[in-house]
Amino acid sequence: MAKESFDRITHDLFADEVRPGRPKSNPHSRKVQLKINKQKQVQRDKQKGLKRIELKVDSELFSLLNKLSKEQNINRSELITQLLHAQINN
């Protein structure tokens, strides 16, 4: 029996054929995925002994923190931690 490229009824002939299409997606909605990922992040931080602080600053200070962190090649969180340590230890 010859294999016809348009024949999709006999699946056994096409079992090893890779066809393009949408990849398998997560069974959860995006909202649930974000919630799960946030919970995992909080657990990782907790295991590292980190505590969460929320800080609101004006846009000028935010830009300055970003600039300084890029200059020092560290992330903004590490920069703020260094600045707080320096302020407390003085």
Side-chain angles (χ1 to χ4, degrees), residues 4-59:
E4 295 290 338
S5 61
F6 59 87
D7 180 17
R8 297 291 178 200
I9 297 172
T10 53
H11 298 286
D12 56 330
L13 294 175
F14 301 94
D16 57 345
E17 182 181 329
V18 178
R19 294 174 47 196
R22 183 175 179 185
K24 291 183 180 177
S25 61
N26 197 312
H28 301 294
S29 69
R30 186 67 185 147
K31 186 176 180 180
V32 173
Q33 289 178 43
L34 291 173
K35 184 176 180 179
I36 291 170
N37 288 340
K38 190 63 175 178
Q39 288 172 344
K40 288 180 182 179
Q41 179 187 9
V42 169
Q43 283 182 335
R44 282 193 307 268
D45 289 347
K46 192 174 184 179
Q47 289 173 348
K48 293 178 185 177
L50 301 174
K51 299 289 182 181
R52 186 170 190 82
I53 297 176
E54 186 172 337
L55 180 65
K56 294 182 181 183
V57 296
D58 61 62
S59 58

Side-chain angles (χ1 to χ4, degrees), residues 68-82:
L68 289 172
S69 65
K70 284 180 184 178
E71 288 174 0
Q72 296 183 18
N73 201 23
I74 58 175
N75 65 33
R76 192 174 53 244
S77 176
E78 291 171 344
L79 176 65
I80 293 170
T81 301
Q82 287 178 1

